[in-house]
Amino acid sequence: MAEKQLHCTLAAGEHQKAWFAQLRKDVFEKQRPYAIIQADMPFELFHVMEVPVVSNQYWAAIISAKRLSGYYLDALNSMGFHEGLCRYCSLAAASTLANDPEHAPWGGLPKPALLSARLTCDCLQRVFAIWAEAFGSECLFIDNPGAADLPPRWWEFSRYHWRELFEEHRLKFTVTQFQNLIEALERVTGRQFQIDRLRDLMERVNRQEEYFEEALQMICSAPRTPVRMHEQVANVMAAQWKRGSDWAVEHARTFRDEIRNRVRQGVAACPGERLRLMWVGAGIWHDTDFYTAFEEEFGAVFVWSMYLAFGPDGYIRYGLDDPLLALASRTVSMNEQLHNPPWANEWIVHQAKLHRIDAALVLTPMGTRPAATGNRFIERALEQAGIPVLPVVADMVDARDWDPDAMRLKVSEFLRHRVLPHLNSARRHS
Amino acid sequence: MRTSDMKNSDFTAKPRNTIAPIDRLIWHYENPDAEAMAAAAGNVPVVGVTSNTAPWELIRAAGAFPCVINSGNPNYPDIGTFMEEGVFEERIRAIFGAAISGDLQHLSLLLIPRTSEQEYKLYLYLREVARQDPTRRIPPLYLYDMLHTRSPESYSYGLERTLCLKERLEELTGKRIDDAALLYAVRESNSARKAIRKLLSLRNPVPRVTGTEALTLIGASFFISRDEYAHLAGQAVEMIEGRAPVAGKRVMIAGSPLNHRGLHHALEKHGAVVVAEDDWWGSRSAGMDIADGSDDLLKAIFEKYYLDAPSPRVFPFEIADAWFQEESTHGIDGVVFYLPPEDCVVGWDYPRRRRFLDERRIPHLLMREDAGSISEECHEQIERFVNNICIR
């Protein structure tokens, strides 16, 4: 397990564990409804309606970190689902279909009142419908309108000019989908949705993301990064899953403060930092030690992943007179912003420059192929910006094809033969 | 159609009218670009579509020539510069390759419907290649974003998108799409559908045409005018009706769409006769007619594509499975599930559909190989499967 340098990282981990134990208690003992949802869903609506949520991807990462992915994916394959099907989005479902709570992390997922996903790929309605049937739970989908108009430099418009950035018909349609979801949540909880509560929550989410932005700016400007990538992810995602809650806003502030103190005291995550690396794609959840494996020999530190950076650029929305529409704008293009051309390649190069990145590793998850789209555009854009790229063909949750030694060797060779000569040459010329 | 199936599309080599209608349809199937290129050479705007959920009638009513794009080389060297290996279906790679290599420059518009998520990505990719490199001769692009979930909101959204498409087509051709033009186009396409349905009736329960031939004859409808198609297919039907029944175990193909004849050919080589395929290239290409008596033809056209066109995005399962369940229990001796190596969608349906067949004791075979290059081992597997089927 990778070293944890920040107090708040430990706190985040403990909070998540305690939260899940409480959830199981509430669900089993008090029959409280909860939901399982895809990571790009409008969590805000669930929070406003006080329905706890477990993200599909979060649970997949937990299974993977516990080294159980092979067990569950084998079980899925034995049911006739072939090995080429997406693993990241189906691993948590596999843990339900396997029907083996003894093996499951933290006792496994209890039966949810609702499962829900946005249809950003053709597999999701299938995975979630199969999963919901196994639980005997209700399933609700949010269809996903495609973007035809994608103006350049989206991050410069997303906070204040989001109405112009996203096509009006897409936002309106997404609002109708949210209204269906709200009706379902009202039915599940017996409570009435209040738009003012959503507005308040959206304002708190803004505050949370502003703290994250301050943290990000310090990572960009400090001589050496004060926090490693994997600790950024642990802190940011614990808060993003509960975004806008008192705990999440406070945790974001604590994270910012701890980084600020480290910067003021000149504390670096890796005192020997010489190379700054970027990780593009979801994390390798089954081998997080990978992210610190190149510090000792090369002084190579992973300083960037999408998880922290997307918070400020992707989530902040000012002008909340219509909070549902603002929420639609936060949600409707996450897939284009993070994974597909032109928005993903453009934004990632922008981020690489901000973070003074020396080299990038780009994950191509062949076990989750729809998540691999857009990668060639990202790799080309980074290379054109003078940043050497190593494509990494691996799966984020499935360790069965992952050879830790071979992968570390491959990255070492990339750093030794490609990145260091490139940097030396650039330094000579400057 | 695979590259190996295709000939160079030389529209001047189009067969003369004196040649038998079946041969003419085969020629058009094997030369999918020929009519489109001839139209473009005659200054008729050509609108290429990438799959089945684009409203043919609207394009026709605007005075343009509609055609499905089924050419291109999936191994065109530059594809790998932009597209991830093994992520996209071969057909989508081929269309992408054709577009970035300039092979589609005869199109006035490349209309990409949201039939599948891969097509949406195709749109984003092509849009970006065109932006980054304006010297590439990529045709203008249009995303027709019809959603396929069955909800009142998706219905309204799709109808609104159809109105926008109408405006775009009017702008493209400079011709207003009025009711008379829509009615003409609807009747023309209905006549082609009627001809296809007649062809389909000659496949099951008593097959008088092989699946390989049927797929070819039906497939030609995507590449030529539907008037001409209805005429030729009508003549072909008359010729086929007089044939003796084709002997063989009646097999249905389900799974990923097949835009070529490789699997049909392999199955029929081993004693099967393919009588249906759960697929927009074959048995599901025509579907029902569009109501030409509708007082809102645009809406009727939209509803045809929203409610009666197969797509991997159709949901829920009851609707998505309805055709499969109905057809597999009528005159079918066995089912072959085709899930090629790049499949990451239809495989989710396989255990459920397999269970449906098991409950009815309908034999089935899973095929995971690329049907364009079937191995000896797979041929043996097919042979064993066909031999073991009992005629029902």
Side-chain angles (χ1 to χ4, degrees):
Chain A
M1 192 65 77
E3 178 199 13
K4 293 178 179 65
Q5 298 178 323
L6 273 61
H7 298 299
C8 57
T9 310
L10 293 169
E14 282 163 14
H15 173 84
Q16 283 296 94
K17 217 170 182 174
W19 172 84
F20 189 77
Q22 186 63 45
L23 175 75
R24 281 183 61 85
K25 209 173 162 192
D26 288 346
V27 172
F28 288 135
E29 291 174 15
K30 299 176 193 162
Q31 283 75 50
R32 186 177 173 192
Y34 93 104
I36 298 174
I37 63 178
Q38 192 71 352
D40 60 358
M41 283 284 291
F43 281 57
E44 293 81 351
L45 296 178
F46 293 83
H47 297 336
V48 163
M49 297 300 290
E50 296 178 29
V51 176
V53 282
V54 173
S55 143
N56 182 21
Q57 281 68 22
Y58 164 72
W59 197 249
I62 296 284
I63 291 171
S64 180
K66 306 263 178 209
R67 311 281 162 98
L68 287 166
S69 53
Y71 171 75
Y72 286 129
L73 291 169
D74 286 344
L76 195 67
N77 298 152
S78 73
M79 293 171 207
F81 298 102
H82 68 70
E83 290 179 358
L85 297 172
C86 298
R87 298 169 203 177
Y88 198 17
C89 297
S90 67
L91 181 57
S95 75
T96 301
L97 294 173
N99 195 20
D100 182 9
E102 298 280 302
H103 259 90
W106 305 345
L109 291 169
K111 177 183 172 176
L114 183 71
L115 292 98
S116 191
R118 288 176 63 234
L119 301 182
T120 52
C121 94
D122 296 341
C123 316
L124 282 170
Q125 67 265 45
R126 292 169 165 84
V127 173
F128 271 69
I130 292 165
W131 199 359
E133 191 189 349
F135 271 127
S137 301
E138 184 182 347
C139 196
L140 188 140
F141 295 103
I142 291 185
D143 211 338
N144 180 43
D149 184 18
L150 300 106
R153 300 181 73 81
W154 62 265
W155 59 94
E156 292 178 356
F157 299 92
S158 55
R159 297 173 198 214
Y160 290 97
H161 301 285
W162 46 268
R163 286 173 202 266
E164 295 91 68
L165 178 62
F166 304 102
E167 293 148 282
E168 189 183 2
H169 60 269
R170 298 182 70 218
L171 293 182
K172 277 186 179 170
F173 175 80
T174 304
V175 167
T176 67
Q177 301 289 280
F178 287 178
Q179 283 161 343
N180 289 345
L181 175 59
I182 289 167
E183 275 175 32
L185 292 171
E186 286 180 333
R187 200 169 53 243
V188 162
T189 59
R191 291 191 197 97
Q192 204 177 355
F193 174 74
Q194 291 174 34
I195 194 80
D196 289 339
R197 289 193 68 185
L198 177 64
R199 188 178 292 107
D200 290 346
L201 185 90
M202 296 281 282
E203 280 167 0
R204 288 200 301 277
V205 174
N206 281 348
R207 204 175 319 141
Q208 177 181 322
E209 306 307 333
E210 286 159 0
Y211 288 136
F212 284 144
E213 182 158 49
E214 288 180 52
L216 179 140
Q217 285 164 349
M218 288 185 276
I219 292 166
C220 289
S221 60
R224 290 164 297 172
T225 187
V227 54
R228 291 178 173 127
M229 186 199 96
H230 72 269
E231 285 202 73
Q232 296 172 26
V233 177
N235 283 286
V236 168
M237 291 320 292
Q240 297 295 41
W241 301 135
K242 299 177 184 68
R243 54 186 173 261
S245 69
D246 291 342
W247 180 85
V249 178
E250 182 57 22
H251 188 77
R253 192 184 62 76
T254 308
F255 176 65
R256 188 269 323 257
D257 290 348
E258 203 168 342
I259 289 177
R260 188 162 59 193
N261 289 340
R262 288 170 72 87
V263 171
R264 281 178 182 160
Q265 291 161 19
V267 178
C270 170
E273 176 184 308
R274 297 192 301 280
L275 292 174
R276 292 164 72 88
L277 303 179
M278 171 178 235
W279 177 260
V280 179
I284 299 288
W285 305 124
H286 46 83
D287 186 6
T288 48
D289 287 346
F290 172 76
Y291 294 110
T292 51
F294 313 100
E295 293 182 0
E296 198 175 312
E297 185 178 354
F298 298 98
V301 188
F302 282 94
V303 299
W304 188 95
S305 76
M306 63 180 171
Y307 296 98
L308 172 59
F310 192 66
D313 283 346
Y315 285 22
I316 292 177
R317 291 290 179 272
Y318 297 123
L320 294 172
D321 49 308
D322 186 344
L324 212 50
L325 196 69
L327 182 60
S329 83
R330 179 180 288 164
T331 313
V332 73
S333 262
M334 279 189 190
N335 197 261
E336 289 83 5
Q337 288 164 310
L338 288 170
H339 302 294
N340 284 294
W343 279 356
N345 33 312
E346 211 182 12
W347 180 65
I348 286 168
V349 168
H350 167 72
Q351 287 291 319
K353 288 176 180 169
L354 272 182
H355 284 76
R356 311 185 330 263
I357 294 296
D358 297 310
L361 276 68
V362 178
L363 176 70
T364 294
M366 292 310 291
T368 310
R369 279 176 277 174
T373 62
N375 276 6
R376 293 294 92 83
F377 286 96
I378 292 168
E379 290 161 9
R380 275 165 49 88
L382 286 166
E383 290 277 4
Q384 282 163 5
I387 297 163
V389 173
L390 177 68
V392 177
V393 178
D395 195 79
M396 52 285 257
V397 290
D398 186 3
R400 291 178 298 179
D401 295 330
W402 175 260
D403 181 338
D405 294 335
M407 195 51 76
R408 281 157 174 76
L409 184 65
K410 191 174 178 183
V411 176
S412 297
E413 285 176 357
F414 166 69
L415 296 174
R416 190 175 297 117
H417 300 303
R418 178 96 211 276
V419 180
L420 289 174
H422 173 82
L423 280 179
N424 291 337
S425 161
R427 277 169 195 151
R428 271 199 305 276
H429 284 98
S430 64
Chain B
M1 185 183 309
R2 302 296 289 263
T3 312
S4 56
D5 274 357
M6 287 166 41
K7 297 168 184 167
N8 290 332
S9 281
D10 176 5
F11 65 84
T12 58
K14 181 179 173 179
R16 293 185 307 278
N17 289 349
T18 51
I19 291 178
I22 290 178
D23 292 335
R24 288 175 68 190
L25 289 171
I26 292 170
W27 188 87
H28 283 298
Y29 179 78
E30 291 177 349
N31 294 272
D33 295 336
E35 283 294 273
M37 285 182 162
N43 290 323
V44 176
V46 176
V47 176
V49 300
T50 54
S51 63
N52 60 318
T53 67
W56 184 95
E57 295 76 8
L58 270 189
I59 302 168
R60 184 71 164 144
F65 181 87
C67 64
V68 170
I69 303 300
N70 197 37
S71 56
N73 175 6
N75 300 314
Y76 176 68
D78 216 9
I79 294 175
T81 310
F82 306 101
M83 270 189 162
E84 298 72 22
E85 189 68 37
V87 170
F88 285 86
E89 291 166 20
E90 201 164 290
R91 194 180 73 83
I92 299 293
R93 287 175 65 86
I95 295 172
F96 182 77
I100 64 171
S101 63
D103 286 352
L104 300 183
Q105 59 181 311
H106 59 287
L107 301 182
S108 298
L109 190 70
L110 178 59
L111 197 162
I112 304 179
R114 188 89 181 276
T115 311
S116 66
E117 200 58 20
Q118 294 218 344
E119 282 174 86
Y120 176 45
K121 301 288 160 58
L122 172 71
Y123 169 78
L124 294 176
Y125 276 41
L126 286 175
R127 191 185 174 282
E128 181 65 350
V129 175
R131 185 183 76 98
Q132 289 185 4
D133 185 358
T135 62
R136 285 184 191 263
R137 295 156 298 168
I138 296 173
L141 305 167
Y142 188 88
L143 176 70
Y144 174 53
D145 190 31
M146 184 173 74
L147 303 173
H148 294 272
T149 40
R150 299 293 165 88
S151 71
E153 302 84 36
S154 293
Y155 177 97
S156 303
Y157 181 85
L159 187 55
E160 191 187 305
R161 295 296 90 213
T162 308
L163 279 165
C164 291
L165 172 63
K166 174 176 170 277
E167 287 168 15
R168 177 69 182 92
L169 291 167
E170 287 174 335
E171 182 189 289
L172 179 81
T173 61
K175 186 186 166 206
R176 202 173 76 80
I177 298 176
D178 57 22
D179 277 352
L182 280 179
L183 185 61
Y184 186 87
V186 165
R187 286 184 175 157
E188 186 185 344
S189 68
N190 279 349
S191 68
R193 288 189 184 101
K194 193 175 161 194
I196 291 172
R197 286 195 299 266
K198 273 191 183 167
L199 260 172
L200 293 174
S201 73
L202 299 176
R203 299 181 73 187
N204 201 12
V206 181
R208 293 181 189 278
V209 57
T210 64
T212 309
E213 189 180 14
L215 196 70
T216 311
L217 299 181
I218 294 167
S221 68
F222 295 118
F223 313 122
I224 63 177
S225 95
R226 290 193 174 177
D227 262 345
E228 185 183 4
Y229 179 78
H231 177 69
L232 291 174
Q235 289 181 322
V237 164
E238 283 173 19
M239 295 170 76
I240 293 165
E241 275 171 337
R243 291 183 186 171
V246 181
K249 317 275 178 69
R250 293 163 304 172
V251 167
M252 178 169 116
I253 299 174
S256 295
L258 274 161
N259 65 325
H260 62 88
R261 298 168 289 193
L263 183 54
H264 288 69
H265 185 68
L267 284 164
E268 293 185 334
K269 189 177 151 189
H270 295 296
V273 52
V274 179
V275 297
E277 46 286 304
D278 185 2
D279 177 339
W280 64 271
W281 284 97
S283 300
R284 301 188 69 186
S285 60
M288 293 179 294
D289 280 352
I290 297 171
D292 63 6
S294 168
D295 55 5
D296 188 342
L297 280 171
L298 189 81
K299 192 168 144 189
I301 292 168
F302 158 70
E303 286 183 350
K304 163 71 187 171
Y305 291 91
Y306 179 62
L307 298 171
D308 189 34
S311 150
R313 293 180 69 83
V314 170
F315 193 75
F317 289 150
E318 300 87 80
I319 295 171
D321 287 353
W323 191 95
F324 171 84
Q325 294 187 355
E326 173 68 20
E327 290 301 310
S328 61
T329 49
H330 285 93
I332 301 290
D333 299 318
V335 173
V336 172
F337 288 102
Y338 175 57
L339 306 177
E342 73 266 20
D343 170 64
C344 64
V345 174
V346 191
W348 290 110
D349 300 330
Y350 168 65
R352 186 180 72 255
R353 291 185 170 190
R354 182 183 65 178
R355 193 166 57 239
F356 177 86
L357 298 180
D358 286 340
E359 284 165 4
R360 285 152 190 82
R361 299 188 177 182
I362 300 170
H364 50 82
L365 172 73
L366 171 63
M367 183 169 158
R368 292 298 328 271
E369 276 195 17
D370 182 345
S373 52
I374 299 171
S375 68
E376 270 312 304
E377 193 188 345
C378 189
H379 270 291
E380 284 167 18
Q381 208 186 355
I382 289 171
E383 190 175 11
R384 273 197 306 276
F385 170 70
V386 175
N387 285 340
N388 289 336
I389 294 175
C390 299
I391 293 179
R392 296 162 76 87

